[in-house]
Amino acid sequence: MLSEAEATEFEEFQRMRRETEAELTLRKLVVDASRRETDRHALNTLCDVAKKTGAFAVLVSPVHVASARRRLGEGETAVACTVGGTGESVASIKQKETRRAVREGASVIRLIPCYSALFGGNEAYLKKEIKKVRRAAKKCRLVLSLDDHALTKADVERGMIAAAEARADAVSVRGETELSLMAVRLSAGRLGVETSGVENAEQLRMLLKTGAEYALTAGAEHIAEELYRAVEQRRGAQAKNGDESTKKIETAQ
């Protein structure tokens, strides 16, 4: 049996381990600040949330890259930029958006592909535009967005093949366990897999267990609260069990 001092030390070790696990989980988040309604105030708020939670990146539209980079400062949180609008702009426009984003401080590029080419099975066009953006992105992480709800599993697979052959770094799929598992399996280590639309801590944990690297969310602060609440609840439960064990020992004596 552990002495009282040893039990206290062990409980503290367990608490620190759970807090570290929560911190590492939050580092897998990409905070979504790319929505059309994101004004300057909302952008600043989301950047501050990303810094506070230690998120991997903040995703912004091309017009907010410089502002996000200034707000984030020199910390570890990266600026990710979504390029391509609805996906139907020509490859040269996507290439220009990428070059500008890189100049202004983005280190992750999230490419919206030409969905009409994807739906139509025009893999040659998809690879062509990915390659153009790949050159413009230079050393930045290039993620092909395959999150659209209209995409079938076959569409996602077609997009993944184009991404791998055109040397993208990763793909992003909807935050569904089955879809994430499929993408991780199909990637065969050639591509990273990210997920989007993550709403809570339970969903985040589940998707990370499938092998997803990062998760896009609009609710980073809520997820952080859930993770740390779970840590405190576990700590409280252990303390209660410890008190009950002590009482039993005292009664036996």
Side-chain angles (χ1 to χ4, degrees), residues 60-79:
V60 299
S61 64
V63 297
H64 286 147
V65 173
S67 298
R69 185 67 275 164
R70 285 194 299 271
R71 187 72 178 187
L72 290 170
E74 299 302 320
E76 295 182 359
T77 301
V79 175

mmCIF file of all heavy atoms in Angstrom, residues 60-79:
data_model
loop_
_atom_site.group_PDB
_atom_site.id
_atom_site.type_symbol
_atom_site.label_atom_id
_atom_site.label_comp_id
_atom_site.label_asym_id
_atom_site.label_seq_id
_atom_site.Cartn_x
_atom_site.Cartn_y
_atom_site.Cartn_z
ATOM 1 N N VAL A 60 -7.905 31.738 -41.751
ATOM 2 C CA VAL A 60 -8.501 33.016 -42.149
ATOM 3 C C VAL A 60 -8.663 33.074 -43.662
ATOM 4 O O VAL A 60 -8.089 32.270 -44.401
ATOM 5 C CB VAL A 60 -7.627 34.207 -41.685
ATOM 6 C CG1 VAL A 60 -7.488 34.224 -40.175
ATOM 7 C CG2 VAL A 60 -6.234 34.154 -42.338
ATOM 8 N N SER A 61 -9.438 34.050 -44.107
ATOM 9 C CA SER A 61 -9.571 34.310 -45.541
ATOM 10 C C SER A 61 -8.356 35.140 -45.982
ATOM 11 O O SER A 61 -7.645 35.701 -45.142
ATOM 12 C CB SER A 61 -10.862 35.077 -45.818
ATOM 13 O OG SER A 61 -10.809 36.352 -45.189
ATOM 14 N N PRO A 62 -8.102 35.246 -47.287
ATOM 15 C CA PRO A 62 -6.927 35.983 -47.761
ATOM 16 C C PRO A 62 -6.853 37.430 -47.278
ATOM 17 O O PRO A 62 -5.746 37.948 -47.081
ATOM 18 C CB PRO A 62 -7.079 35.920 -49.289
ATOM 19 C CG PRO A 62 -7.803 34.634 -49.527
ATOM 20 C CD PRO A 62 -8.794 34.549 -48.398
ATOM 21 N N VAL A 63 -7.988 38.092 -47.054
ATOM 22 C CA VAL A 63 -7.956 39.501 -46.660
ATOM 23 C C VAL A 63 -7.532 39.695 -45.211
ATOM 24 O O VAL A 63 -7.232 40.824 -44.790
ATOM 25 C CB VAL A 63 -9.331 40.180 -46.877
ATOM 26 C CG1 VAL A 63 -9.696 40.167 -48.352
ATOM 27 C CG2 VAL A 63 -10.409 39.512 -46.043
ATOM 28 N N HIS A 64 -7.473 38.619 -44.417
ATOM 29 C CA HIS A 64 -7.165 38.752 -42.991
ATOM 30 C C HIS A 64 -5.825 38.155 -42.580
ATOM 31 O O HIS A 64 -5.516 38.098 -41.389
ATOM 32 C CB HIS A 64 -8.273 38.100 -42.161
ATOM 33 C CG HIS A 64 -9.534 38.889 -42.110
ATOM 34 N ND1 HIS A 64 -10.777 38.302 -42.028
ATOM 35 C CD2 HIS A 64 -9.750 40.225 -42.141
ATOM 36 C CE1 HIS A 64 -11.710 39.239 -41.996
ATOM 37 N NE2 HIS A 64 -11.100 40.412 -42.073
ATOM 38 N N VAL A 65 -5.029 37.721 -43.534
ATOM 39 C CA VAL A 65 -3.761 37.069 -43.192
ATOM 40 C C VAL A 65 -2.845 37.998 -42.410
ATOM 41 O O VAL A 65 -2.340 37.642 -41.336
ATOM 42 C CB VAL A 65 -3.039 36.562 -44.460
ATOM 43 C CG1 VAL A 65 -1.648 36.031 -44.107
ATOM 44 C CG2 VAL A 65 -3.847 35.462 -45.124
ATOM 45 N N ALA A 66 -2.600 39.193 -42.937
ATOM 46 C CA ALA A 66 -1.672 40.120 -42.278
ATOM 47 C C ALA A 66 -2.163 40.508 -40.884
ATOM 48 O O ALA A 66 -1.383 40.562 -39.927
ATOM 49 C CB ALA A 66 -1.480 41.367 -43.142
ATOM 50 N N SER A 67 -3.455 40.761 -40.753
ATOM 51 C CA SER A 67 -4.014 41.149 -39.448
ATOM 52 C C SER A 67 -3.877 40.020 -38.435
ATOM 53 O O SER A 67 -3.538 40.238 -37.275
ATOM 54 C CB SER A 67 -5.489 41.526 -39.604
ATOM 55 O OG SER A 67 -5.640 42.644 -40.453
ATOM 56 N N ALA A 68 -4.143 38.803 -38.877
ATOM 57 C CA ALA A 68 -4.022 37.653 -37.975
ATOM 58 C C ALA A 68 -2.577 37.443 -37.550
ATOM 59 O O ALA A 68 -2.302 37.159 -36.379
ATOM 60 C CB ALA A 68 -4.556 36.397 -38.663
ATOM 61 N N ARG A 69 -1.653 37.596 -38.477
ATOM 62 C CA ARG A 69 -0.244 37.421 -38.145
ATOM 63 C C ARG A 69 0.201 38.445 -37.116
ATOM 64 O O ARG A 69 0.943 38.130 -36.163
ATOM 65 C CB ARG A 69 0.604 37.525 -39.414
ATOM 66 C CG ARG A 69 2.088 37.236 -39.252
ATOM 67 C CD ARG A 69 2.363 35.787 -38.899
ATOM 68 N NE ARG A 69 2.271 35.535 -37.464
ATOM 69 C CZ ARG A 69 2.161 34.330 -36.929
ATOM 70 N NH1 ARG A 69 2.109 33.262 -37.707
ATOM 71 N NH2 ARG A 69 2.080 34.165 -35.631
ATOM 72 N N ARG A 70 -0.234 39.689 -37.258
ATOM 73 C CA ARG A 70 0.119 40.728 -36.279
ATOM 74 C C ARG A 70 -0.488 40.411 -34.920
ATOM 75 O O ARG A 70 0.172 40.574 -33.888
ATOM 76 C CB ARG A 70 -0.358 42.099 -36.759
ATOM 77 C CG ARG A 70 0.481 42.702 -37.870
ATOM 78 C CD ARG A 70 0.167 44.186 -38.047
ATOM 79 N NE ARG A 70 -1.233 44.408 -38.412
ATOM 80 C CZ ARG A 70 -1.677 44.434 -39.655
ATOM 81 N NH1 ARG A 70 -0.838 44.242 -40.668
ATOM 82 N NH2 ARG A 70 -2.955 44.661 -39.917
ATOM 83 N N ARG A 71 -1.738 39.992 -34.905
ATOM 84 C CA ARG A 71 -2.416 39.725 -33.634
ATOM 85 C C ARG A 71 -1.790 38.537 -32.906
ATOM 86 O O ARG A 71 -1.652 38.553 -31.672
ATOM 87 C CB ARG A 71 -3.898 39.442 -33.891
ATOM 88 C CG ARG A 71 -4.728 39.321 -32.616
ATOM 89 C CD ARG A 71 -4.917 40.676 -31.966
ATOM 90 N NE ARG A 71 -5.735 40.586 -30.771
ATOM 91 C CZ ARG A 71 -6.174 41.642 -30.082
ATOM 92 N NH1 ARG A 71 -5.872 42.874 -30.496
ATOM 93 N NH2 ARG A 71 -6.900 41.473 -29.001
ATOM 94 N N LEU A 72 -1.401 37.527 -33.650
ATOM 95 C CA LEU A 72 -0.810 36.340 -33.034
ATOM 96 C C LEU A 72 0.612 36.582 -32.555
ATOM 97 O O LEU A 72 1.096 35.887 -31.663
ATOM 98 C CB LEU A 72 -0.824 35.177 -34.031
ATOM 99 C CG LEU A 72 -2.202 34.602 -34.361
ATOM 100 C CD1 LEU A 72 -2.104 33.641 -35.543
ATOM 101 C CD2 LEU A 72 -2.808 33.895 -33.155
ATOM 102 N N GLY A 73 1.289 37.554 -33.151
ATOM 103 C CA GLY A 73 2.654 37.845 -32.743
ATOM 104 C C GLY A 73 3.615 36.739 -33.142
ATOM 105 O O GLY A 73 3.428 36.051 -34.139
ATOM 106 N N GLU A 74 4.623 36.556 -32.318
ATOM 107 C CA GLU A 74 5.675 35.595 -32.635
ATOM 108 C C GLU A 74 5.484 34.251 -31.952
ATOM 109 O O GLU A 74 6.427 33.481 -31.824
ATOM 110 C CB GLU A 74 7.037 36.194 -32.232
ATOM 111 C CG GLU A 74 7.403 37.460 -32.951
ATOM 112 C CD GLU A 74 7.439 37.281 -34.468
ATOM 113 O OE1 GLU A 74 7.925 36.230 -34.920
ATOM 114 O OE2 GLU A 74 6.978 38.188 -35.180
ATOM 115 N N GLY A 75 4.287 33.965 -31.501
ATOM 116 C CA GLY A 75 4.026 32.695 -30.829
ATOM 117 C C GLY A 75 4.029 31.516 -31.779
ATOM 118 O O GLY A 75 4.289 31.647 -32.985
ATOM 119 N N GLU A 76 3.715 30.333 -31.244
ATOM 120 C CA GLU A 76 3.755 29.109 -32.030
ATOM 121 C C GLU A 76 2.536 28.926 -32.934
ATOM 122 O O GLU A 76 2.580 28.160 -33.892
ATOM 123 C CB GLU A 76 3.869 27.898 -31.095
ATOM 124 C CG GLU A 76 5.181 27.866 -30.310
ATOM 125 C CD GLU A 76 5.285 26.636 -29.433
ATOM 126 O OE1 GLU A 76 4.319 25.838 -29.433
ATOM 127 O OE2 GLU A 76 6.307 26.485 -28.762
ATOM 128 N N THR A 77 1.439 29.613 -32.644
ATOM 129 C CA THR A 77 0.226 29.440 -33.444
ATOM 130 C C THR A 77 0.425 29.975 -34.859
ATOM 131 O O THR A 77 0.826 31.124 -35.052
ATOM 132 C CB THR A 77 -0.967 30.155 -32.790
ATOM 133 O OG1 THR A 77 -1.165 29.622 -31.473
ATOM 134 C CG2 THR A 77 -2.237 29.947 -33.593
ATOM 135 N N ALA A 78 0.145 29.143 -35.844
ATOM 136 C CA ALA A 78 0.360 29.504 -37.245
ATOM 137 C C ALA A 78 -0.865 30.195 -37.834
ATOM 138 O O ALA A 78 -1.965 30.117 -37.294
ATOM 139 C CB ALA A 78 0.673 28.248 -38.054
ATOM 140 N N VAL A 79 -0.643 30.867 -38.955
ATOM 141 C CA VAL A 79 -1.748 31.426 -39.738
ATOM 142 C C VAL A 79 -1.974 30.515 -40.932
ATOM 143 O O VAL A 79 -1.058 30.236 -41.713
ATOM 144 C CB VAL A 79 -1.438 32.854 -40.231
ATOM 145 C CG1 VAL A 79 -2.565 33.342 -41.152
ATOM 146 C CG2 VAL A 79 -1.277 33.801 -39.066
#
